[in-house]
Each structure stands twice: as structure tokens, then as C-alpha cells.
Amino acid sequence: MSFLNVIFRGLWRRPVRTGLTVFGIAIGIAAVVTLVGMASGYEKSVVKQLDVAGIDVIVSNMQGGIMPKAFDESVRDSVAALPGVAAACTTLMQMLSVEDAPMMVVSGREWGAFTWEQLKIVEGRMPRDPAERAVVLGTLAADVLGKKVGDPIQLETGEFEVVGIVDGQSVVENGAVILSLPLFQEISGYEGRVNFVNVRAAPDADDARVEALCRTIEEKHPGLRAVKSNEVVGTSQGFRVAQAMSWSTSMLALVVGILGVMNTMLMSVFERKHEIGILLALGWQRSRIMSLILCESAAMGLLGGLVGVVLGAATLAILELLPDIRGLLEPDLGWDLAARAVLIAVAVGIVSGLYPAWRSSRLSPSIALQG
């Protein structure tokens, strides 16, 4: 009987127990894939939004979390006057409950600023002027809210008309309600305040000059942070907390999986004392017995990892369709995350099998054969 045959024979000895153990690992891996996939999707959605809008630097108070605290909009004029700045504009962005949608991005934008440029009209038109009580909806936002051109929409204490449906060329933009900055400041109680200054650097500015511009802005405005657009998410306190929570929750699920595999392998060793004794009597080295148990536990980890990736991918697909998620982010499951998840599952299997493998190698052939 070959080594592989012995491994698979051990796994199929108790198929129900093995299946439940594999499923336990799969649940932990599915949690990793789902939570990390959501966090990664959020990061990519925000980065793509900034790239599409042509934003090089974001000025904000990132200590406020995912949505930074508001500050005086006069910062925009100061930033715009700096050498190396081609354009600067302000945005007030909030996560609000909008009618039946529990959470949506609402974006008030400086009228005539470049952040309106990437919005492509799908239906209707843009607001005529900053005072018109009108909004445009991203395609996803219109779908989630069930709105079409001409419908009324309630934002906080104000009622507006949907005058256009737009394609913002990114998930965050397509899931947003967009209106002029003065109107949003009025209804939200943030008159004269914004939480983002969006900066376009001069066309000839390289990374070093953009970094120097960020330092200059921070020196002129203590308490605010100026960050290159591709570094915004990584420096966000809210994102770091969400990422840490994703991994910590996943690790708790994996610890349960480790205990499950260890229990299964210990029971297998106990039940197979007779078989292990025969193998030792036939000349198998104790190191080979350890390898046998470790390979069995690693195989369960591999199976659990593959099943977990499938479960996690299915969960992400379902979450992406939920009204609470649509328009906020696009869950991400790349091959790199899937590979990491499977490797984690295999590692879980190996770690879980260390003690049972050591126990099996300590058996005496004469005592085992009495069982």
C-alpha cells in the first residue's frame, strides 16, 4: 500500500467526521475571503474613484475615520494659490440614510469644479446652476433607490428633483447622490465647511514634487493631512481599523478550525493505534509516521481551503447584491487572495496536526498491537 493510499484511507475512515472538520476549516477560510475581500474592494473602489477624477492629492482631516471631519472651506483658496497646483476644489461627502436605503454616499461638490467632469450623462441633464434644488444619481444609486429622471428625492430635511442619471466610471461614483456643495451644506448644517480639498498637481509634477506639495500644505495648515491619492486609503484610520477587525475576526474563526482539526487527528491516532503499531513493526520510521499524520491534517486543510474559497466567493457575490452594499464598494476576490486563503488553510492543517503527529510517533509497537 502506497503512502498516499494510507493518507486517503485515514481520511475516509470516518467520512462524516472528516467532512465536518473540513467544513469547519471552510467556514474560517470563507470568513477570511469575505472580510478581507470587502476591505480590499473598498480600497480599490476609492483608489479608482480618485484616479478617474484626476485627483493627485487629497487634503482632509483623516482622524475622522472613513469620512473625515469637516473644516473651513477657505483652505481651498490657500491650497489653490500654492506653486505646483493646477486646480483645487472642495467636496463635502457624507454617508447618509436616503429614503429606503440605509446607507449611501451623498457628495456635495463645488460648482464648476473638475470633479464634475468625469460624470457622463446617461439620462436627463446636469443641474443648471448651484442654486437649483436638483441632484444627479449614479447608475447604481438610481437602481438601489428605484429613481428615474423627474422623481423627487428626500435628503435630510430637503426635497430635491432627480434631473439626471450619470455614469461616474467607478463603483463609488455610481453609487452616489451628487448635488452642488452650497445646497448640501445648507441641508446638512455644514455651512462654510467641507471635508475634502481635491488637488490636481501641475502636469509636469513628478512624485517628488507631489510629495513636496503635500508637506507644504500640511505646514501651512496644521491639523490637516495632504496625501497622494494612491495612498489615501492606506493612511485612513477608519480603513486600518476595518482591516484589523477583518483579520482579527477571521483569525478567531481559524482558531476554532485549528481546534477542530486537532481533535479529529487525536481521535484518529487513538483509533488507529493498532494500525500504527503494525506500520512501526514493519519498519516504518517514527518520522514517517509523523509525516503521515501531518499529511492527513494538511490534506484536510487543503480541502477546507478550496471549499472555503468557493463559499467566500459566493458570499461576496450575494453581499454585492444587497442594498446596504451596492454603490458603496465592489467586493474584490483576486487570485492572490484565493491563493493566500488556501495557503492559510494548509498551514492551519499542519499546525493542528503537530501534536497528534508527535503523539503517534511516541507509540510503542508492542503496546499498540495490544489495542
Side-chain angles (χ1 to χ4, degrees), residues 43 47 50-51 55-58 207 210 227-235:
E43 178 178 5
V47 170
L50 299 177
D51 182 60
I55 298 172
D56 297 308
V57 175
I58 291 284
D207 280 349
V210 173
V227 182
K228 292 194 297 183
S229 59
N230 59 356
E231 298 176 358
V232 166
V233 177
T235 58

Side-chain angles (χ1 to χ4, degrees), residues 225-283:
R225 295 192 63 189
V227 182
K228 292 194 297 183
S229 59
N230 59 356
E231 298 176 358
V232 166
V233 177
T235 58
S236 166
Q237 182 181 15
F239 176 75
R240 290 199 298 268
V241 170
Q243 194 174 49
M245 290 180 63
S246 298
W247 277 108
S248 60
T249 303
S250 301
M251 289 304 105
L252 287 175
L254 291 176
V255 167
V256 174
I258 289 174
L259 295 176
V261 176
M262 187 178 296
N263 178 68
T264 296
M265 296 313 300
L266 280 171
M267 293 179 66
S268 176
V269 168
F270 178 77
E271 292 172 354
R272 297 162 63 190
K273 286 168 51 178
H274 182 74
E275 176 186 331
I276 293 171
I278 292 175
L279 293 174
L280 288 169
L282 290 174

Side-chain angles (χ1 to χ4, degrees), residues 17-143:
R17 186 172 67 197
T18 299
L20 290 174
T21 304
V22 167
F23 185 70
I25 299 173
I27 294 298
I29 295 301
V32 171
V33 170
T34 301
L35 296 174
V36 176
M38 294 286 284
S40 176
Y42 168 72
E43 178 178 5
K44 289 187 175 181
S45 297
V46 172
V47 170
K48 184 176 180 180
Q49 176 199 13
L50 299 177
D51 182 60
V52 166
I55 298 172
D56 297 308
V57 175
I58 291 284
V59 181
S60 65
N61 178 359
M62 294 307 294
Q63 298 302 314
I66 294 178
M67 285 299 171
K69 294 178 181 178
F71 53 88
D72 195 282
E73 65 182 350
S74 62
V75 171
R76 178 255 187 211
D77 295 333
S78 174
V79 171
L82 292 174
V85 175
C89 62
T90 49
T91 300
L92 177 63
M93 187 179 295
Q94 299 289 328
M95 304 281 282
L96 300 176
S97 172
V98 179
E99 297 188 355
D100 293 334
M103 192 72 68
M104 296 201 77
V105 174
V106 181
S107 177
R109 305 185 179 188
E110 180 181 335
W111 186 254
F114 64 80
T115 46
W116 292 86
E117 293 174 359
Q118 85 278 7
L119 303 177
K120 307 299 182 184
I121 291 291
V122 176
E123 296 180 41
R125 59 175 175 83
M126 288 290 189
R128 294 189 180 91
D129 56 63
E132 183 184 8
R133 296 186 70 81
V135 305
V136 294
L137 303 179
T139 51
L140 285 174
D143 187 31

Side-chain angles (χ1 to χ4, degrees), residues 295-317:
C295 285
E296 288 184 10
S297 58
M300 281 197 288
L302 177 60
L303 290 173
L306 295 174
V307 174
V309 168
V310 173
L311 288 177
T315 303
L316 286 175

